[in-house]
């Protein structure tokens, strides 16, 4: 938890520096949050402290959570996410499709983005099952008004196919 708090403060300091640079002012900084960090009783308060301490515009801070974080206490998770979202912070569900999340979670969580795990991107061009999964995640994201981003894109051909399937980033 102390390391996670330090990382959050450093991330906000970095973001504050970006926001002072015209070329970088509109960039979003994503920070991975562990379940232990997220469920710590003072997590929300620490994030709330970091915002004025660093002077960031919170809409450019994105917290990435994984499906495994959703398993323990969904109501507490939603409450914390809503408190943070009320501050202007957005959320991304990282490594979507590799964990245990039910589709019911997606409609209840205040998410902004789904991240397609790189395991589905890696064989996208050679495995029809991976293409079907990616296509389904993109369609699901669109229908729920969520941005969809693919991780682990390593070739122009992968990027092109993802674009053709409707993946935004």
């Amino acid at each position: 938890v102390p390391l996670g708090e330090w990382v959050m403060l450093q991330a906000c300091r970095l973001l504050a520096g970006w926001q002072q640079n015209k070329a970088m002012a509109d960039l979003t900084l994503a920070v991975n949050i562990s379940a232990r960090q997220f469920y710590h009783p003072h997590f929300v308060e620490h994030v709330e402290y970091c915002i004025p301490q660093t002077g960031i515009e919170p809409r450019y801070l994105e917290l990435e959570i994984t499906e495994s974080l959703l398993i323990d206490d969904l109501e507490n998770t939603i409450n914390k996410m809503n408190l943070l979202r009320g501050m202007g912070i957005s959320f991304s569900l990282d490594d979507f499709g590799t964990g245990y999340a039910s589709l019911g979670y997606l409609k209840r969580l205040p998410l902004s983005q789904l991240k397609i795990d790189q395991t589905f991107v890696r064989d996208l061009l050679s495995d029809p099952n991976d293409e079907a999964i990616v296509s389904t995640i993109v369609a699901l994201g669109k229908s729920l008004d969520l941005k969809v981003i693919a991780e682990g894109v390593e070739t122009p051909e992968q990027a092109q196919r993802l674009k053709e399937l409707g993946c935004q980033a």
Side-chain angles (χ1 to χ4, degrees):
V1 171
L3 178 59
E5 290 175 346
W6 179 85
V7 167
M8 180 61 67
L9 185 57
Q10 295 306 313
C12 289
R13 287 179 178 155
L14 178 64
L15 183 56
W18 290 1
Q19 291 175 352
Q20 299 301 313
N21 180 332
K22 285 184 182 182
M24 300 175 73
D26 291 328
L27 293 178
T28 298
L29 179 64
V31 180
N32 285 10
I33 303 299
S34 72
R36 176 175 278 179
Q37 183 180 4
F38 187 85
Y39 287 121
H40 188 273
H42 301 294
F43 176 69
V44 172
E45 290 85 358
H46 180 69
V47 175
E48 194 171 33
Y49 163 81
C50 290
I51 293 170
Q53 182 72 20
T54 59
I56 65 163
E57 177 62 46
R59 67 181 174 177
Y60 295 107
L61 179 62
E62 177 181 286
L63 303 182
E64 292 188 5
I65 61 172
T66 61
E67 292 180 47
S68 62
L69 186 139
L70 306 175
I71 294 171
D72 292 330
D73 186 354
L74 184 61
E75 292 307 317
N76 184 30
T77 300
I78 291 170
N79 289 338
K80 282 189 176 188
M81 289 176 73
N82 281 327
L83 286 170
L84 293 162
R85 190 168 187 177
M87 295 176 208
I89 295 167
S90 62
F91 286 90
S92 178
L93 186 56
D94 198 13
D95 301 335
F96 182 70
T98 62
Y100 304 102
S102 104
L103 296 177
Y105 292 163
L106 292 182
K107 72 177 189 175
R108 295 186 62 201
L109 294 170
L111 296 169
S112 302
Q113 178 172 264
L114 293 177
K115 294 183 89 173
I116 301 171
D117 189 70
Q118 64 183 340
T119 57
F120 304 122
V121 174
R122 185 178 308 122
D123 295 325
L124 172 68
L125 302 175
S126 60
D127 186 339
N129 292 323
D130 283 337
E131 181 168 322
I133 290 168
V134 168
S135 180
T136 301
I137 293 171
V138 169
L140 181 63
K142 282 183 181 179
S143 68
L144 295 172
D145 198 28
L146 299 173
K147 184 177 179 184
V148 179
I149 184 170
E151 295 181 312
V153 180
E154 296 180 352
T155 69
E157 294 81 13
Q158 288 172 330
Q160 180 60 37
R161 186 64 188 134
L162 287 160
K163 187 176 180 179
E164 290 167 359
L165 292 171
C167 187
Q168 294 117 325

